Amino acid sequence: MAEKIDITPKQDGGVLKLIKKEGQGIVKPSTGTTVKVHYVGTLEDGTKFDSSRDRGDQFTFNLGRGNVIKGWDVGVATMTKGEVAEFTIRSDYGYGDAGSLPKIPGGATLVFEVELFDWSAEDISPDRDGSILRTIIVEGSKNSFPSDTSNVSAHIVGTYNGTEFYNRDVNFCIGEGSEENLPEGVERALRRFQLGEKSKIELKGQKYTYGNSPPAGTNIPANAPLEFTIFLKEFEKVPATWEMTAEEKLAAAKAAKDRGTIFLQKGNLKLAFNKYKRAEEVLEYEKSTDPEMVKEREVILTGAYLNLSLVCSKQNEQLECIKWCDKVLETKPDNVKALYRKATALLATSETREAVKLFEKIVEVEPENKAAAQQIIVCKKTLREQNERDKKRYKNLFAKISDVDEDKQTKTVEDEDEIVASTSGSSISNA
């Protein structure tokens, strides 16, 4: 005859389990999965206080997230699909000394018969739209997660329709996974991993898969759903910005800026932008009063802003380019690079008059700047051509308006003649 066994991690007798019907296989739901069960709850004397079976609806909850009493999180995690088990739950794993009145008195030991029907993966996508699903295979250490810029060491296996296309040990910085030919969804998932965790990740949709650029030679279609099994072996814990000293912020920002320049030189504009943006974020609210630190902060920020404007210009995002140039010009109104880049962006958006003003200012600051002088000539030529086109267009427009007015006047005279003739005829007829 089956016996009740203690299933608590501490082996303190708080939750005892008796299997009444064996389930299928050995796979069990993991933390974060959404489980579906039926249950009947009774007090130790057999008094029933709740039953999903009586309501006719299966009960669903997120396992291991504190959505239910502690004894349930402990007990259901030990079950397999189709299993029926009885759990005897002491009050400190149930409703405690307060109980849940009026049906459950304080300090009550509870007995639940639970049947586990199924479970689904945990949705860890930013928008909770099912685009990133996680099923934990091996739990990791608690309360230990990589940050946005952590260096991670992991073993990753990727499959499409059951066919393996990726199997590697990788070491990279979060945010740079594309350098290891990994889709963004893997990096998003790793931010939720704990040290030592092994999980299966399911990726769907364009944003978190390879989108329209699947790896060459893999026969993976565009926007194809993917599965990755990831084992997070190690990671570097990077302090949050608010935890850093002024010196640490400067060092982190400089490292990010330098890393961005490497990616810019390689033509990886997306990663370059992210690194320059990281430098800006680290130093944005750093207000050290030390003169040397203030000077270094200005140098790093100015460089980051200028490079952000350059990346945006290369991506034909002219309004964003102007925004970052303005960041520089707020404190350095004569910065030639910012002026030139902003003027070029304005020219690209047909703001020629504003652009020529900036090119002229550059020549005031640097009279020998031949590039700006040449652009002034180009801008003025463009403006002259535009004026000629406007004159011609307005001339034609006024001519058309004049013709319309003449037609109206002619029509009015003709109408008046008709009225006179009609009136005269009427008078003769009536005479």
Side-chain angles (χ1 to χ4, degrees):
M1 184 175 178
E3 296 182 358
K4 293 182 179 181
I5 57 172
D6 184 356
I7 58 171
T8 57
K10 296 179 181 180
Q11 290 292 287
D12 60 6
V15 183
L16 304 177
K17 177 181 178 180
L18 174 65
I19 296 178
K20 305 184 82 171
K21 176 188 171 185
E22 293 286 349
Q24 307 164 16
I26 61 172
V27 180
K28 299 169 184 177
S30 58
T31 299
T33 54
T34 299
V35 298
K36 298 179 180 180
V37 302
H38 260 319
Y39 69 90
V40 177
T42 62
L43 302 178
E44 282 189 295
D45 64 5
T47 302
K48 183 165 65 174
F49 59 82
D50 195 11
S51 171
S52 65
R53 294 189 185 278
D54 290 348
R55 293 191 296 273
D57 291 325
Q58 292 179 0
F59 177 63
T60 63
F61 69 97
N62 206 224
L63 184 64
R65 301 301 190 208
N67 300 150
V68 291
I69 59 174
K70 186 177 179 181
W72 268 59
D73 276 336
V74 171
V76 175
T78 67
M79 302 179 71
T80 56
K81 185 179 293 188
E83 179 181 323
V84 179
E86 179 183 280
F87 299 104
T88 302
I89 301 175
R90 202 169 59 205
S91 64
D92 52 326
Y93 283 82
Y95 290 98
D97 293 336
S100 182
L101 300 175
K103 294 185 177 181
I104 301 174
T109 294
L110 309 175
V111 179
F112 284 94
E113 181 186 271
V114 180
E115 180 177 2
L116 176 61
F117 290 91
D118 200 0
W119 61 88
S120 56
E122 179 185 14
D123 186 353
I124 60 171
S125 57
D127 296 328
R128 296 295 184 268
D129 57 4
S131 54
I132 307 176
L133 301 177
R134 172 173 67 176
T135 301
I136 296 175
I137 300 170
V138 178
E139 295 273 1
S141 58
K142 299 297 182 183
N143 302 318
S144 181
F145 304 93
S147 58
D148 283 350
T149 56
S150 291
N151 285 306
V152 298
S153 174
H155 184 79
I156 300 179
V157 178
T159 61
Y160 166 66
N161 274 352
T163 301
E164 183 180 295
F165 67 88
Y166 194 103
N167 191 334
R168 291 173 54 188
D169 282 314
V170 294
N171 293 277
F172 65 94
C173 178
I174 294 289
E176 301 177 16
S178 59
E179 293 290 282
E180 298 294 338
N181 214 16
L182 293 168
E184 187 175 343
V186 168
E187 293 195 82
R188 288 282 182 173
L190 275 168
R191 289 176 172 89
R192 299 285 299 273
F193 269 52
Q194 297 175 327
L195 183 63
E197 178 181 330
K198 182 178 182 181
S199 292
K200 181 181 77 172
I201 302 300
E202 301 169 66
L203 306 178
K204 302 174 184 177
Q206 181 180 15
K207 188 174 182 180
Y208 297 120
T209 62
Y210 289 113
N212 293 320
S213 304
T218 59
N219 296 319
I220 298 175
N223 304 319
L226 307 168
E227 287 188 6
F228 287 89
T229 300
I230 304 171
F231 171 45
L232 179 58
K233 296 188 287 186
E234 291 181 306
F235 69 86
E236 173 194 12
K237 185 65 176 176
V238 178
T241 303
W242 59 269
E243 297 175 307
M244 295 180 182
T245 63
E247 292 86 351
E248 288 172 334
K249 287 180 182 178
L250 288 170
K254 185 177 185 304
K257 176 178 170 291
D258 291 345
R259 189 71 173 152
T261 300
I262 291 173
F263 288 126
L264 181 61
Q265 292 168 347
K266 292 169 65 174
N268 193 329
L269 299 181
K270 180 179 179 181
L271 289 188
F273 181 91
N274 290 343
K275 293 302 175 182
Y276 294 135
K277 190 70 172 67
R278 167 69 178 170
E280 188 256 352
E281 290 169 351
V282 170
L283 292 182
E284 186 177 11
Y285 300 109
E286 169 52 37
K287 302 300 181 184
S288 173
T289 56
D290 180 271
E292 289 300 317
M293 289 187 181
V294 170
K295 183 178 178 180
E296 186 176 358
R297 175 183 181 274
E298 288 180 356
V299 170
I300 295 173
L301 271 180
T302 298
Y305 291 149
L306 287 171
N307 287 333
L308 283 164
S309 70
L310 177 59
V311 172
C312 291
S313 177
K314 287 178 176 292
Q315 294 176 319
N316 201 30
E317 296 175 356
Q318 306 302 342
L319 294 180
E320 283 293 301
C321 174
I322 292 170
K323 180 184 81 172
W324 295 114
C325 290
D326 284 340
K327 286 274 192 179
V328 177
L329 297 172
E330 284 175 8
T331 56
K332 300 180 182 302
D334 292 336
N335 186 282
V336 170
K337 283 186 178 180
L339 289 168
Y340 193 93
R341 205 158 286 155
K342 180 178 179 179
T344 304
L346 288 168
L347 196 57
T349 55
S350 300
E351 296 289 341
T352 311
R353 286 181 173 80
E354 294 301 316
V356 75
K357 292 177 184 177
L358 295 184
F359 286 127
E360 288 173 343
K361 183 171 183 179
I362 292 171
V363 173
E364 289 177 11
V365 176
E366 287 186 355
E368 72 284 1
N369 195 310
K370 294 180 180 180
Q374 181 61 34
Q375 288 292 356
I376 292 171
I377 295 172
V378 172
C379 287
K380 289 185 175 180
K381 181 182 177 183
T382 301
L383 288 172
R384 283 196 302 270
E385 291 172 350
Q386 183 179 332
N387 288 337
E388 290 300 320
R389 287 195 300 271
D390 289 345
K391 286 179 182 179
K392 186 176 180 180
R393 183 166 62 250
Y394 292 138
K395 181 179 179 180
N396 292 336
L397 178 61
F398 290 140
K400 289 179 181 179
I401 293 173
S402 177
D403 291 342
V404 170
D405 287 342
E406 288 181 7
D407 289 343
K408 285 183 177 179
Q409 290 174 4
T410 301
K411 186 70 167 62
T412 301
V413 171
E414 291 174 351
D415 289 344
E416 288 175 350
D417 289 343
E418 289 179 6
I419 292 170
V420 170
S422 174
T423 303
S424 300
S426 176
S427 300
I428 294 171
S429 174
N430 293 332

